[in-house]
Amino acid sequence: MDYPQEKVMPYGNEGKKAEQVERMFDHIAPAYDRLNHLMSLGIDRSWRRRAIRWLRPFAPQEVLDVATGTGDFALLACRLLRPRSLTGIDLSEGMMQVGRQKAAEAGLAGHIRFQREDCEALSFADASFDAVTVAFGIRNFEHLDRGLQEMCRVLRPGGHLVILELSTPERFPMKQLFSLYSKVAMPVIGRSISHDNSAYTYLPQSIKAFPQGEIMQESIRRAGFSEVTFRRLTFGVCTLYMATK
């Protein structure tokens, strides 16, 4: 199935989406964390904690963090869940290099490993992990269904999937406020700090085009998951998806 966000790319028609996303994140990696917290007003930290709280009762021992970026979610999950091993994967070596440095500074380098992977063609064996997490990266997939199927494949039966993704509020006045913020403030702030003219124009476009709510829930179910639920957070600015294999 084709999704609108699969056609939204950072640099227009300059190659495949996966290649463009890798190039974009390599370029903005040094400024990414500062921008992320600034543009979410720091609320992204509470969203991550909410996702990890849902996972905690299951005590996953082998965790895979997909589209790990600079490792914010991976580091927090390592501290709060204390799994036996946590693997963070991403296309962007630039982002993961920041993550490796943060893990070392936090004394967690021996507990988290970062490796470059294509999220739609994972190198891991079937049923390798107890939990798979994705925080604010799934909208960058070139083929959403393929990525979801791969995450299901590497999960053990009974394992859990958690996805956090930015979404578009549906109700007044947050819908109008978020539209104004994403179209005007987000690109201006992003350009001024990251010095990438395309990255923070792409961001709001990719959020708007990404399937959300019941449509995303059905996509997760179709990939092989059961007990798929979702919760809208902070008036619908972010959505938490939870599922079991």
Side-chain angles (χ1 to χ4, degrees):
M1 180 176 177
D2 292 329
Y3 299 91
Q5 109 283 347
E6 295 175 353
K7 306 283 191 279
V8 177
M9 297 188 277
Y11 305 114
N13 296 316
E14 301 176 20
K16 293 182 178 180
K17 180 170 182 175
E19 295 168 352
Q20 292 189 34
V21 167
E22 180 181 5
R23 175 155 60 103
M24 177 187 74
F25 281 116
D26 278 346
H27 186 223
I28 68 173
Y32 181 79
D33 282 342
R34 186 156 55 108
L35 271 167
N36 220 19
H37 301 319
L38 176 65
M39 289 202 284
S40 72
L41 305 177
I43 305 170
D44 57 307
R45 294 182 175 95
S46 71
W47 296 335
R48 290 186 183 91
R49 288 182 178 276
R50 179 81 173 263
I52 292 169
R53 259 201 318 270
W54 182 78
L55 270 180
R56 186 181 283 155
F58 308 115
Q61 292 303 299
E62 310 287 340
V63 177
L64 177 67
D65 186 39
V66 176
T68 194
T70 61
D72 267 4
F73 193 93
L75 268 69
L76 189 61
C78 196
R79 289 191 194 101
L80 299 182
L81 296 176
R82 298 188 177 277
R84 186 163 49 241
S85 76
L86 195 152
T87 304
I89 63 167
D90 204 284
L91 279 173
S92 170
E93 276 291 350
M95 294 283 276
M96 287 191 293
Q97 198 52 42
V98 176
R100 290 183 186 104
Q101 184 177 344
K102 284 158 63 175
E105 290 170 356
L108 295 172
H111 302 277
I112 302 175
R113 66 185 174 115
F114 293 89
Q115 66 185 63
R116 190 183 183 281
E117 289 274 341
D118 179 349
C119 301
E120 298 172 19
L122 300 173
S123 66
F124 307 106
D126 294 358
S128 294
F129 299 96
D130 302 310
V132 175
T133 63
V134 198
F136 313 115
I138 200 164
R139 72 178 182 282
N140 298 315
F141 283 20
E142 189 161 2
H143 304 100
L144 177 59
D145 283 342
R146 198 178 301 168
L148 288 169
Q149 288 162 9
E150 275 294 272
M151 289 188 277
C152 188
R153 179 184 67 78
V154 300
L155 258 181
R156 296 186 177 113
H160 298 89
L161 171 71
V162 172
I163 297 171
L164 274 174
E165 191 49 83
L166 296 171
S167 48
T168 306
E170 297 178 337
R171 296 182 180 180
F172 177 86
M174 277 302 294
K175 180 178 181 179
Q176 288 73 18
L177 289 170
F178 183 78
S179 177
L180 183 66
Y181 178 68
S182 63
K183 288 176 183 174
V184 180
M186 203 177 280
V188 171
I189 296 169
R191 277 196 297 270
S192 65
I193 296 178
S194 72
H195 306 295
D196 189 306
N197 290 330
S198 300
Y200 288 88
T201 301
Y202 161 77
L203 177 63
Q205 291 174 347
S206 66
I207 296 169
K208 185 177 180 181
F210 190 74
Q212 58 187 53
E214 289 81 1
I215 299 172
M216 181 61 174
Q217 182 181 34
E218 181 54 35
S219 297
I220 296 169
R221 189 176 287 121
R222 193 169 53 246
F225 292 94
S226 61
E227 301 174 37
V228 186
T229 59
F230 68 92
R231 291 176 190 162
R232 290 186 171 92
L233 310 177
T234 316
F235 307 104
V237 173
C238 178
T239 305
L240 169 63
Y241 299 92
M242 301 150 287
T244 303
K245 179 175 176 179

